[in-house]
Amino acid sequence: MTERTLEVKLKSGLQARQAALFVQEANRFSSDIYLEKGTRKVNAKSIMGIMSLAIARGVEVTLSADGHDEEDAVTALSAIIEDEAAG
Amino acid sequence: MDHVTVKDVMERFGLELSAGAEGIGRHIASSDISRPGLEVAGFFEYYPANRIQLLGKSEISFFSMLPRLDKMERARKLCSPDTPMLVVCHSMRIPPELVAAAEEEQVPLLSSPMTTTKLSNKLSDFLENRLAPMTAVHGVLLDIYGLGVLITGKSGIGKSEVALDLVKRGHRLVADDMVEIRQVAEDTLVGNPPELLRHLLEIRGLGIIDVQMLFGASAIRDFKRITLIIDLELWDPERSYDRLGLEEEKLKILDTELTRLTVPVRPGRNMSSIVEVAAMNHRMKQMGMNAAEQFSERLNDMIGREQDPSY
């Protein structure tokens, strides 16, 4: 189990298109991946789940993954959330 | 492209041949119709010779008033080598000079009891349809809730099976396997089956079935304007499919761009329901209601409020 807490740096948060990109990336890994914001934790491979969190810039989220590619998954997905240039 | 001969037009509109029978095989290349009023008056500078020439009451009356030599000269010029045919409307008496010129130049000269305007409209409708640019695609065309949906995809992906299911749900089959598509106007593509395949559906394991015979007249249509393309493909795990529906993919057929959805096929996915809903959703979008866009706006609103509480 790999876990990382990070701050969202995407300019306008995780909007629909970025959420789709995030979920598409998450689906490349076989680990179970979760994204947590406040008290809510959703499956990172579910687009509706991710979007329901309405993740804004500056918010703190926790990424966690469990599986044989968990570290790669967390690294790759963190990069999307922390990409200041996108969105 | 189809070609249309004078004979086709003659038979279609019941025209009577007066002269120039040798030219009956001439091709008609343009769907435009000319009424050579100025030419009858002697101005041939811009004579659109390659069009059908319609002579109505005013042209014939004016022609009849001309001196004999002018009549002969202008009749000969009207019957140019490029002119497919001349038609005199209202069953008017045809001036002998015109008959002589048509006979000599072998340009068919015909007459019709119809009025000039009416014949002109009918001719241009008929020619526009027959001369429209055409292409044929491998696919199935259905009328789903009044929307022409072209289903494409590799052989064996299940296009005909989807079509059968949709017919059973009350939708209409236009063409199976091969769809002839014509561009009848700007941004308007109309599809129809090749004559031989009309109303037929081929289902693996059953063979050829006649949809009209089995399901009745309400299950078929002879042609339909195409509005949406749905491309079925085997689920490719490497490929990312549209999850939101915010982007629209376009495909160009002839000169018209159509929206194309790529829908992956996998066990457990009921393709006919998906195709049916895609058609409904496309109709909603055409009416200005786009669920994906509305949702995206709502999400942006919410994110905005989180970022800046005074938003």
Side-chain angles (χ1 to χ4, degrees):
Chain A
M1 170 95 158
T2 306
E3 205 176 270
R4 190 184 301 171
T5 299
L6 45 126
E7 189 190 319
V8 179
K9 297 205 176 102
L10 283 167
K11 224 178 289 150
S12 27
L14 210 56
Q15 291 186 335
R17 286 186 179 81
Q18 286 76 34
L21 192 77
F22 180 88
V23 171
Q24 185 189 323
E25 185 71 12
N27 274 291
R28 290 182 42 230
F29 301 99
S30 63
S31 300
D32 290 326
I33 312 167
Y34 293 92
L35 187 68
E36 200 174 340
K37 179 190 142 192
T39 55
R40 296 180 61 197
K41 187 173 181 175
V42 299
N43 190 328
K45 293 181 184 178
S46 143
I47 189 156
M48 297 307 251
I50 292 293
M51 290 195 296
S52 75
L53 295 180
I55 297 167
R57 177 188 169 88
V59 166
E60 214 163 72
V61 292
T62 305
L63 253 176
S64 58
D66 196 1
H68 75 268
D69 51 9
E70 53 185 58
E71 283 186 17
D72 292 341
V74 168
T75 311
L77 294 174
S78 303
I80 294 181
I81 293 180
E82 293 183 313
D83 186 356
E84 283 182 77
Chain B
M1 196 198 297
D2 237 0
H3 59 77
V4 180
T5 63
V6 173
K7 193 159 176 255
D8 295 334
V9 174
M10 200 175 112
E11 283 167 359
R12 178 73 171 68
F13 292 95
L15 307 176
E16 198 182 311
L17 186 69
S18 304
E22 291 90 340
I24 205 158
R26 288 190 179 213
H27 285 190
I28 298 162
S30 165
S31 60
D32 295 333
I33 310 286
S34 156
R35 290 192 64 178
L38 280 172
E39 286 78 3
V40 168
F43 185 68
F44 275 89
E45 201 84 3
Y46 298 104
Y47 179 44
N50 66 341
R51 302 181 190 169
I52 292 181
Q53 307 293 327
L54 278 195
L55 297 151
K57 264 193 185 139
S58 53
E59 287 86 4
I60 293 292
S61 314
F62 186 89
F63 188 85
S64 305
M65 291 180 348
L66 294 169
R68 198 165 165 265
L69 279 178
D70 282 351
K71 281 188 192 170
M72 285 165 65
E73 190 210 333
R74 288 173 200 173
R76 217 188 46 247
K77 279 189 175 170
L78 280 174
C79 297
S80 87
D82 294 335
T83 311
M85 65 196 281
L86 297 161
V87 186
V88 175
C89 303
H90 292 285
S91 293
M92 288 189 63
R93 205 184 70 80
I94 304 174
E97 293 81 359
L98 207 52
V99 176
E103 200 57 59
E104 191 176 325
E105 306 293 333
Q106 304 184 356
V107 175
L109 173 62
L110 303 118
S111 94
S112 162
M114 259 191 261
T115 65
T116 323
T117 317
K118 198 159 189 187
L119 183 62
S120 170
N121 288 343
K122 290 195 162 182
L123 273 174
S124 84
D125 259 12
F126 170 75
L127 291 173
E128 250 163 39
N129 252 309
R130 289 284 300 268
L131 295 174
M134 202 200 87
T135 182
V137 302
H138 179 60
V140 177
L141 181 59
L142 289 148
D143 173 341
I144 305 175
Y145 299 120
L147 208 73
V149 179
L150 177 67
I151 304 173
T152 59
K154 289 222 174 70
S155 193
I157 193 91
K159 298 183 291 293
S160 300
E161 287 75 6
V162 169
L164 179 62
D165 205 14
L166 287 166
V167 164
K168 290 208 75 175
R169 290 172 191 228
H171 303 292
R172 292 170 175 174
L173 175 75
V174 185
D176 176 43
D177 203 47
M178 184 55 73
V179 186
E180 291 179 358
I181 300 176
R182 280 167 306 136
Q183 170 134 5
V184 295
E186 218 182 302
D187 284 337
T188 308
L189 294 177
V190 171
N192 58 271
E195 190 51 40
L196 192 64
L197 303 182
R198 248 162 59 132
H199 309 160
L200 300 180
L201 198 56
E202 189 251 328
I203 300 288
R204 262 148 246 204
L206 297 186
I208 292 168
I209 61 172
D210 187 321
V211 171
Q212 188 187 17
M213 226 149 67
L214 288 173
F215 299 97
S218 68
I220 41 114
R221 267 195 79 132
D222 285 341
F223 61 90
K224 178 71 194 165
R225 179 178 175 182
I226 305 172
T227 323
L228 178 66
I229 301 173
I230 298 182
D231 188 39
L232 304 182
E233 68 165 43
L234 267 185
W235 189 295
D236 176 0
E238 296 302 309
R239 186 177 163 166
S240 62
Y241 294 98
D242 190 1
R243 301 286 301 260
L244 297 166
L246 286 174
E247 254 77 49
E248 267 196 356
E249 194 191 337
K250 297 277 184 188
L251 180 74
K252 198 165 174 181
I253 295 180
L254 297 170
D255 278 329
T256 304
E257 286 205 327
L258 293 175
T259 301
R260 177 173 67 178
L261 304 174
T262 302
V263 179
V265 176
R266 198 156 85 159
R269 281 167 65 85
N270 183 333
M271 295 319 294
S272 38
S273 290
I274 292 175
V275 169
E276 199 175 36
V277 170
M280 287 195 271
N281 197 42
H282 190 75
R283 270 195 84 196
M284 289 297 281
K285 281 186 185 175
Q286 283 183 324
M287 293 176 194
M289 277 162 281
N290 187 326
E293 253 163 39
Q294 283 170 7
F295 169 77
S296 170
E297 272 164 36
R298 228 157 60 202
L299 175 63
N300 291 354
D301 255 23
M302 202 149 157
I303 292 174
R305 266 201 301 274
E306 297 242 334
Q307 252 162 267
D308 174 11
S310 69
Y311 177 81

